[in-house]
Amino acid sequence: MKPDVYSIILLVPPLLVTYIPILVFPVMKVFYRRRFDQISRWVATNAFSNILKEKKKKTCCPREARWLFKDIDLTAEEELLSMVLTRFLMLFSFMFGAVLTVFWQLLVLDVSNDCDEDDLSKDCFANKWTSEPQDPLNCSSAAVQTLIQNGTIQVACYKIVFNFGLASGASYGSFKLSMFAIKVSAGAILRIKTTKMLRLVQMFGALLVPGVVISLTFVDVVIPSVDIFLRDQQVAFLQITTTTLTAFYFLFFIPWRWLIDLKTQRENPLETVIGNCA
């Protein structure tokens, strides 16, 4: 098989299972609002219970509930609460898709740099950036082995496998790391007192993550040993990538500005009144 076929095998199933259903959410929010709200509330209270809490209490009337984002009461802020619940539903879908991608990749594909002439079950390709389709290398060829040994070419070998143990362990680790990053980030961001500081933090994140990705891609192409190292540490690399992307989404797509403004307003009501009068 060619490299493009392996890419399709890796990417299409997770995309179909997770990311395409995300497109249904806007339709549900318009035409099936009650069901959409039930789903978003269930996800919030079960997946992100350390951040979002629904506290129910019995009264003489139907059961009332208080919604807390950490220590911020959002019960009376219906529009903000709806936005927060929707964004967390999208966050969970994004994170689930990323974790599923890790699971699927490790489940069905083994990637290595070993062009073993005795193993006919794998396809090896020259590890280079090209828009032209590549044919598999003949690892039993003496000429190919010579090129590999003297460092003229680097190879990437793909093999279809079924490795449930590795895939489930790595994907579970990715999920736990992502949840830990979300929990820590929520507490840290809510310590920010002004939206100006929030914008600076977001700007730093917007520059840092793409910068690291571009730099790592460049180094990976220029220095073959880095590519070999990343393939050898594939599980750790995938887990770190998933956690970083989740934290990036969490930093930018949760309505932090409104949450920080609301928290500041309630902690310093007198200053808010004076500011409004001024």
Side-chain angles (χ1 to χ4, degrees):
M1 291 189 293
K2 296 183 181 296
D4 293 344
V5 178
Y6 285 103
S7 298
I8 293 173
I9 293 174
L10 285 180
L11 296 178
V12 170
L15 289 175
L16 291 176
V17 172
T18 57
Y19 293 117
I20 289 182
I22 292 178
L23 301 177
V24 179
F25 289 158
V27 178
M28 288 186 63
K29 193 170 184 179
V30 174
F31 297 101
Y32 303 96
R33 183 58 183 265
R34 183 177 180 182
R35 178 63 63 183
F36 179 83
D37 289 342
Q38 290 175 343
I39 294 174
S40 60
R41 288 168 185 259
W42 185 88
V43 169
T45 54
N46 287 275
F48 304 102
S49 57
N50 290 324
I51 301 174
L52 276 167
K53 292 183 173 63
E54 182 185 20
K55 293 190 174 182
K56 296 182 179 180
K57 58 180 181 179
K58 291 184 177 181
T59 63
C60 59
C61 306
R63 297 184 69 182
E64 297 180 353
R66 293 178 62 225
W67 281 93
L68 299 177
F69 187 101
K70 287 293 189 178
D71 58 344
I72 305 175
D73 192 341
L74 299 179
T75 307
E77 309 293 332
E78 294 184 4
E79 184 177 351
L80 179 57
L81 176 60
S82 176
M83 185 186 301
V84 168
L85 292 174
T86 300
R87 299 290 177 85
F88 268 95
L89 176 61
M90 300 294 289
L91 171 63
F92 180 79
S93 301
F94 174 82
M95 185 172 64
F96 179 76
V99 170
L100 182 61
T101 302
V102 173
F103 173 80
W104 180 252
Q105 179 169 341
L106 296 176
L107 177 70
V108 301
L109 192 66
D110 177 65
V111 183
S112 68
N113 299 93
D114 183 17
C115 190
D116 188 356
E117 55 187 294
D118 296 325
D119 190 352
L120 302 179
S121 62
K122 64 173 66 173
D123 291 323
C124 296
F125 305 92
N127 190 20
K128 60 181 180 180
W129 291 93
T130 177
S131 58
E132 299 178 357
Q134 294 189 61
D135 292 320
L137 297 173
N138 182 8
C139 291
S140 61
S141 169
V144 171
Q145 290 295 332
T146 300
L147 292 174
I148 295 173
Q149 291 172 8
N150 62 26
T152 303
I153 61 172
Q154 301 291 327
V155 297
C157 299
Y158 303 92
K159 180 179 180 180
I160 299 297
V161 296
F162 184 81
N163 197 336
F164 182 79
L166 175 64
S168 57
S171 56
Y172 179 74
S174 298
F175 178 77
K176 296 297 290 185
L177 283 173
S178 297
M179 293 301 296
F180 176 76
I182 289 173
K183 179 181 177 180
V184 173
S185 299
I189 294 174
L190 287 178
R191 292 181 179 273
I192 298 175
K193 300 298 183 181
T194 63
T195 54
K196 181 179 180 180
M197 180 60 67
L198 173 65
R199 286 194 294 269
L200 290 176
V201 172
Q202 290 177 329
M203 185 181 300
F204 177 75
L207 294 174
L208 177 64
V209 174
V212 170
V213 172
I214 294 172
S215 301
L216 191 59
T217 303
F218 177 78
V219 172
D220 180 59
V221 174
V222 174
I223 305 176
S225 59
V226 174
D227 178 71
I228 295 174
F229 173 79
L230 292 178
R231 292 187 189 279
D232 291 340
Q233 305 297 325
Q234 182 184 18
V235 173
F237 178 71
L238 289 174
Q239 290 178 334
I240 293 172
T241 301
T242 301
T243 304
T244 302
L245 292 176
T246 301
F248 188 80
Y249 181 101
F250 188 66
L251 175 62
F252 283 93
F253 291 96
I254 301 301
W256 293 113
R257 182 168 66 87
W258 291 271
L259 290 168
I260 291 174
D261 285 344
L262 180 62
K263 182 180 180 182
T264 303
Q265 177 183 347
R266 290 179 177 175
E267 289 179 348
N268 306 288
L270 183 59
E271 293 182 7
T272 304
V273 172
I274 294 175
N276 291 336
C277 292

